[in-house]
Amino acid sequence: MSSDNLNSPVVSDQQRLLRSAKSSVPPSTTPLSSEEFNRVISAMRKTQNATLAQCKALSLSFNKKFCELQASVDSLASQIVDVRADNTSLRNELSTLNNRIGVIESDVGKLPSSSGDNIPQLLQELSEREKCSFNAIVHGLIESSATIPTERLSDDLQHLSESILPLAMSLPSDVKMIRLGRTIGKNPRPLKVIFSSKITSQQFIKDFVTGMRSRTTTDPPLLVSVVRDRTLMERQQVRQVYADLEQRRKNGENNIVVRHFNGVPSIVQANKDFQLNHTTHRHVTLAKN
């Protein structure tokens, strides 16, 4: 047997077992018989096999625990992603809410103070804005020539559905429609579309704006526009902003435009490459009404 084999852990253990076996019997000058030697080797093999089985069992147990731990880590990582998404959504909603509160506070400051108490007007404005949040206003949609109200509504529904078809949009089946104002000349009256929920109304307007922005100059022109419904106070605010815009342009400011941020109109500096095309001009004109 080589010196390397004598130094290995297995050989060392075997030697210790042999020494232990020798020490357990009375000292004898006679060497071990082959039968005794084989019995000692057999005992050592049983011990090694038992130890190996225990090691395998421990390894399987550790692997199972590791797989469970890995699954728990993966589940926790997925939950963290969901929490981050919810946190981002809540921040966006909070930002929108803060903007709306700012607009309401600004409008409250413009209410007449002679009454001494503006709370009823504020509550009425909040109620009106809540109602308007269910609606969308469509401009430029051709009016029906039918005299029966049900036929006119059916024609409006068909014309609107056909108008938004190029934008890959469709109308819910439970919408209601009302023409606003009186007919003046050949211009079609605005059409108020009433949805069953605020979310549906906002999504419809958002999809329309997104679809319009994605159109190219080679696409056929779309003669209708869609804006959110506004209260009387909001419409007055929009008219005032555009009146201020015209006055400032008359005073020599040409590089200014009206931009809407979260539905609130503001006069801002135009971009260097900003140009009013037909669609933008039409949308701005309709926003005054």
Side-chain angles (χ1 to χ4, degrees):
M1 185 178 295
S2 65
S3 60
D4 293 339
N5 291 334
L6 289 175
N7 294 329
S8 66
V10 176
V11 175
S12 299
D13 292 340
Q14 291 176 354
Q15 290 177 345
R16 283 194 295 270
L17 287 173
L18 285 172
R19 291 172 183 172
S20 175
K22 290 180 179 180
S23 62
S24 63
V25 297
S28 176
T29 58
T30 60
L32 290 174
S33 65
S34 61
E35 182 180 354
E36 291 174 337
F37 182 80
N38 290 334
R39 187 165 56 251
V40 172
I41 294 299
S42 177
M44 292 173 57
R45 287 178 177 174
K46 289 182 180 180
T47 303
Q48 289 178 345
N49 291 337
T51 302
L52 181 60
Q54 291 177 355
C55 291
K56 288 183 178 179
L58 287 174
S59 177
L60 292 175
S61 177
F62 288 155
N63 288 339
K64 182 179 178 181
K65 295 296 184 182
F66 180 78
C67 291
E68 293 176 355
L69 178 61
Q70 184 66 39
S72 299
V73 172
D74 293 341
S75 176
L76 181 61
S78 177
Q79 293 177 9
I80 291 176
V81 172
D82 294 339
V83 170
R84 287 178 176 175
D86 293 341
N87 190 27
T88 300
S89 177
L90 289 174
R91 286 183 177 180
N92 293 335
E93 292 179 3
L94 179 61
S95 177
T96 302
L97 181 60
N98 288 334
N99 290 332
R100 295 183 63 182
I101 292 176
V103 174
I104 293 175
E105 291 176 347
S106 175
D107 292 341
V108 169
K110 297 178 181 179
L111 290 175
S113 58
S114 57
S115 60
D117 188 3
N118 294 323
I119 298 300
Q121 290 178 293
L122 176 60
L123 295 178
Q124 182 180 0
E125 177 65 17
L126 292 175
S127 176
E128 290 296 324
R129 292 194 181 189
E130 179 68 16
K131 293 178 182 178
C132 290
S133 63
F134 287 79
N135 309 331
I137 305 299
V138 180
H139 295 274
L141 186 69
I142 185 174
E143 283 200 57
S144 172
S145 59
T147 56
I148 301 176
T150 54
E151 293 182 358
R152 295 176 65 88
L153 290 175
S154 178
D155 290 343
D156 285 340
L157 179 62
Q158 179 181 355
H159 292 157
L160 182 56
S161 298
E162 293 174 351
S163 297
I164 63 177
L165 189 60
L167 304 179
M169 296 175 56
S170 60
L171 283 171
S173 58
D174 55 350
V175 296
K176 300 178 182 179
M177 298 182 178
I178 301 175
R179 287 284 180 176
L180 303 177
R182 295 179 298 177
T183 303
I184 301 177
K186 297 182 179 180
N187 295 327
R189 293 176 295 170
L191 177 68
K192 177 188 288 189
V193 184
I194 305 173
F195 295 87
S196 59
S197 69
K198 295 187 289 186
I199 296 178
T200 308
S201 172
Q202 294 169 0
Q203 189 63 45
F204 178 80
I205 299 172
K206 180 180 178 181
D207 291 343
F208 183 88
V209 173
T210 302
M212 289 294 293
R213 289 176 178 174
S214 63
R215 291 173 63 83
T216 62
T217 56
T218 58
D219 293 331
L222 203 63
L223 300 181
V224 299
S225 64
V226 178
V227 296
R228 70 179 185 88
D229 193 11
R230 292 181 172 89
T231 65
L232 176 60
M233 180 181 293
E234 288 180 303
R235 293 197 297 272
Q236 290 174 345
Q237 182 184 20
V238 171
R239 294 191 185 99
Q240 183 61 47
V241 170
Y242 278 97
D244 294 342
L245 176 68
E246 293 180 1
Q247 184 61 44
R248 289 174 60 175
R249 284 180 173 174
K250 289 180 180 179
N251 294 337
E253 294 184 67
N254 296 321
N255 195 34
I256 53 175
V257 293
V258 172
R259 296 286 178 82
H260 291 257
F261 301 95
N262 295 321
V264 181
S266 300
I267 300 176
V268 298
Q269 293 292 325
N271 296 332
K272 294 181 179 179
D273 56 348
F274 180 82
Q275 294 181 352
L276 286 175
N277 56 27
H278 174 74
T279 303
T280 307
H281 178 71
R282 178 180 179 80
H283 177 75
V284 169
T285 304
L286 293 174
K288 299 180 184 180
N289 299 328

